[in-house]
Amino acid sequence: MIGKENMNESAVSPASGPGFALVSLLEWYHDSGVDEILLENPVDRFADSAAKQTQTRHRQTAPASPAPRHELIPSTADTARDIAKQANDLSALRAAVASFEGCTLKNTAMNLVFGDGNPAADVMLVGEAPGADEDRQGRPFVGASGQLLDRMFASIGIDRNSIYLTNVLPWRPPGNRNPTPGEIAVCLPFLQQHIALVSPKILVLVGTVASKTLLRRDKEGILRLRGRWFTYQTEEGIEPIPVLPILHPAYLLRSPLQKGKTWQDLLQLKRKLSK
């Protein structure tokens, strides 16, 4: 006689349940490598491929629709040039740069770095772009390289209050990366108007980017340009401005043996100012 407990165990045993055959079949399929469920109705892949080829031929032979006509839109650099030309003084130019939305660097920078020093100075310095310290304070050349620059000019009797300082770019590139040609082209009209408004007697271009940008000498590095006098002309009919490229103080901090060359360049500047 089979007890009640034994009867319950027998009822739930997989070997005696109604789904045993189905489970065994699925296990056999799995062991045979069948592990996907297919559609109930077969699909003719060859017919699908032929239909796609026919559609492709129809698209290739269909006449192309005429391209929509658009009016010529001025480039961002042209827009910047028009805006810059409307600024008649430094205050207006600063406001124009601050409201300009054509340079994406503005979206990542903390502050606009416009200029510093004496706008009526005889000497105007143009650097590359703000660094982290400049971005935080909103002033050019205030970090470690700026402090070295102050000492460099103090060595020839020129303090920060008797010169004017700005950069090619008024906003810091993320991570202090090199400016792109597009960023330089967009910001250049503001720099050109900046120089025209200050109207210095001498331009000192600090580093590679400023020198190549304003002198338009893309194939010459700063080590070849430094120590040589060039001319910069803002507009037709305006008297050319003497230009002296020098090594960037950030470069001198990395290569202190080059400081002697900068000392020679500063002596040239001092002699030029004394004439």
Side-chain angles (χ1 to χ4, degrees):
M1 182 176 180
I2 301 176
K4 183 177 181 179
E5 181 178 352
N6 292 334
M7 290 177 62
N8 292 338
E9 291 178 357
S10 177
V12 298
S13 174
S16 60
F20 173 71
L22 178 60
V23 171
S24 298
L25 179 61
L26 292 175
E27 291 179 348
W28 182 80
Y29 280 148
H30 183 272
D31 293 340
S32 301
V34 179
D35 55 2
E36 295 184 3
I37 299 176
L38 303 180
L39 300 175
E40 294 182 359
N41 299 319
V43 178
D44 189 345
R45 303 296 181 186
F46 294 101
D48 285 352
S49 178
K52 290 180 180 179
Q53 292 178 1
T54 302
Q55 294 175 0
T56 302
R57 285 195 297 269
H58 285 324
R59 286 196 298 266
Q60 291 176 347
T61 56
S65 57
R69 299 181 61 182
H70 298 285
E71 295 182 359
L72 293 177
I73 300 176
S75 68
T76 307
D78 291 337
T79 302
R81 187 174 297 106
D82 293 339
I83 295 173
K85 286 295 183 183
Q86 297 176 12
N88 296 321
D89 54 40
L90 292 180
S91 178
L93 182 62
R94 182 187 182 96
V97 176
S99 62
F100 182 65
E101 300 295 338
C103 182
T104 57
L105 293 178
K106 179 181 179 180
N107 301 328
T108 56
M110 295 177 61
N111 286 300
L112 168 69
V113 181
F114 183 73
D116 193 31
N118 182 7
D122 291 339
V123 179
M124 181 177 184
L125 273 67
V126 179
E128 174 181 325
D133 294 312
E134 290 77 11
D135 188 29
R136 282 191 292 268
Q137 299 186 36
R139 297 171 56 211
F141 293 103
V142 293
S145 61
Q147 295 169 15
L148 176 57
L149 186 71
D150 289 345
R151 295 195 297 271
M152 288 163 49
F153 276 83
S155 67
I156 58 171
I158 299 177
D159 61 26
R160 190 182 184 92
N161 295 325
S162 59
I163 57 177
Y164 186 79
L165 307 98
T166 189
N167 285 304
V168 173
L169 300 183
W171 296 287
R172 178 197 181 198
N176 289 353
R177 63 164 172 77
N178 292 330
T180 66
E183 291 164 350
I184 293 174
V186 167
C187 296
L188 182 58
F190 294 111
L191 174 62
Q192 292 171 330
Q193 185 68 0
H194 208 154
I195 296 172
L197 292 173
V198 174
S199 187
K201 293 182 178 179
I202 295 177
L203 265 178
V204 177
L205 306 182
V206 186
T208 301
V209 172
S211 300
K212 287 187 174 183
T213 298
L214 291 178
L215 297 179
R216 299 179 180 178
R217 291 175 174 264
D218 296 334
K219 297 182 180 180
E220 294 182 85
I222 187 60
L223 290 175
R224 294 188 61 184
L225 294 173
R226 57 140 295 270
R228 299 162 56 190
W229 286 99
F230 299 89
T231 57
Y232 170 82
Q233 192 161 7
T234 55
E235 298 177 359
E236 293 296 331
I238 303 298
E239 185 176 353
I241 303 172
V243 176
L244 178 66
I246 67 172
L247 299 175
H248 199 286
Y251 172 77
L252 297 177
L253 289 173
R254 300 190 302 267
S255 306
L257 295 179
Q258 302 289 344
K259 289 182 179 180
K261 295 177 180 176
T262 301
W263 171 245
Q264 296 172 9
D265 299 342
L266 293 175
L267 291 178
Q268 283 197 63
L269 176 61
K270 185 178 181 178
R271 288 193 293 268
K272 189 84 168 179
L273 289 170
S274 62
K275 293 182 179 179

